[in-house]
Amino acid sequence: LYPSHFYHLYNHANGSENLFREEKNYQFFLEKVRKYLMPFMNIYAYCLMPNHFHLLIMIKEEKQLYEVLSTSSSFKKLREQDQIHTMYNKISKSLSNLFSSYTQSYNRTYQRRGSLFIPNFKTNDIEDNLAFCAVTHYIHANPVHHGFVKDIKDWKHSSFLSLCSDKPTKLERDYVLAIFGNRQAFLNYHAKPIDRKYKWHD
């Protein structure tokens, strides 16, 4: 994962397990995303499904990452090459911290043991604005594809409603709507059939 690059990031529960058993699990996972990922990444879209999740992210620019990390005196004492190495490690570590922290809490709550997530999360590069729009639509359409709802707007655990709203959000809403053109263009795009060239990641 490289600074200033966009990625579609997704992961699945182990075997036939669910990541989210109750409504409160979805919100708790988003709190973990804010804590562990948002210092290092911008979040543009997401969808949480019972047994997997999708995120559309951008790793922050190097300057922003240095600002985050330079609050640590130990980081500032490192040589430049070691700072770069540490920065990349912190990006990867933020994801492992998310999975580990959520799993530990989940295991305590439901009295289970062992890993919850498939060990290696998956990423796809987002190469241009057309791909950005298609992947955003794909992410929001997951609940329809899997038969949980008939309309994108009826799934509560995605970013769709927040991106349509004027309410405060931690998402990069202005950027998303600008890429689509405006809010109405965003809605119109989401009313179209899914672009089937994007393989479904179940």
Side-chain angles (χ1 to χ4, degrees):
L1 299 176
Y2 297 99
S4 303
H5 282 61
F6 287 86
Y7 298 97
H8 172 204
L9 185 155
Y10 51 98
N11 205 356
H12 197 286
N14 265 325
S16 59
E17 295 244 32
N18 276 339
L19 299 177
F20 311 108
R21 297 190 190 185
E22 304 177 71
E23 289 291 309
K24 65 181 182 181
N25 300 151
Y26 293 96
Q27 189 56 43
F28 186 69
F29 183 81
L30 291 177
E31 290 170 5
K32 295 293 185 182
V33 167
R34 283 192 285 270
K35 179 177 180 179
Y36 291 109
L37 300 191
M38 284 192 164
F40 304 99
M41 307 173 192
N42 295 331
I43 311 291
Y44 298 87
Y46 70 84
C47 186
L48 310 183
M49 303 290 292
N51 66 355
H52 68 286
F53 72 86
H54 296 267
L55 297 172
L56 176 52
I57 65 164
M58 185 191 77
I59 307 300
K60 290 185 176 181
E61 298 174 359
E62 279 194 9
K63 181 181 177 182
Q64 294 174 301
L65 294 171
Y66 277 114
E67 288 174 357
V68 171
L69 295 172
S70 62
T71 57
S72 164
S73 58
S74 59
F75 178 81
K76 288 191 285 189
K77 292 176 182 176
L78 296 173
R79 295 176 303 168
E80 182 178 354
Q81 192 61 35
D82 291 333
Q83 286 183 337
I84 294 172
H85 181 70
T86 298
M87 180 179 70
Y88 281 91
N89 281 345
K90 289 287 189 180
I91 294 169
S92 295
K93 186 68 173 173
S94 67
L95 285 160
S96 62
N97 285 342
L98 166 66
F99 300 142
S100 174
S101 178
Y102 183 81
T103 298
Q104 288 174 29
S105 297
Y106 187 97
N107 284 355
R108 283 195 302 270
T109 300
Y110 299 109
Q111 299 178 349
R112 71 178 294 280
R113 293 182 179 180
S115 59
L116 178 63
F117 295 88
I118 290 176
N120 298 317
F121 62 87
K122 309 294 184 183
T123 60
N124 294 322
D125 292 354
I126 307 299
E127 297 177 353
D128 54 34
N129 289 347
L130 290 176
F132 184 99
C133 292
V135 171
T136 301
H137 186 203
Y138 166 95
I139 288 172
H140 291 148
N142 244 254
V144 176
H145 171 73
H146 289 288
F148 286 97
V149 291
K150 292 185 177 180
D151 194 297
I152 288 172
K153 69 177 183 297
D154 294 330
W155 187 251
K156 296 187 294 183
H157 309 298
S158 85
S159 52
F160 178 76
L161 294 177
S162 292
L163 292 171
C164 295
S165 164
D166 290 320
K167 295 178 180 178
T169 180
K170 297 289 186 181
L171 299 170
E172 300 293 324
R173 179 168 56 207
D174 290 345
Y175 184 95
V176 174
L177 296 181
I179 293 296
F180 279 89
N182 53 45
R183 184 177 280 107
Q184 189 57 52
F186 173 85
L187 292 170
N188 292 345
Y189 194 110
H190 280 73
K192 298 194 307 182
I194 303 300
D195 187 341
R196 292 295 172 181
K197 77 176 182 180
Y198 290 93
K199 180 182 176 184
W200 290 101
H201 304 284
D202 296 339

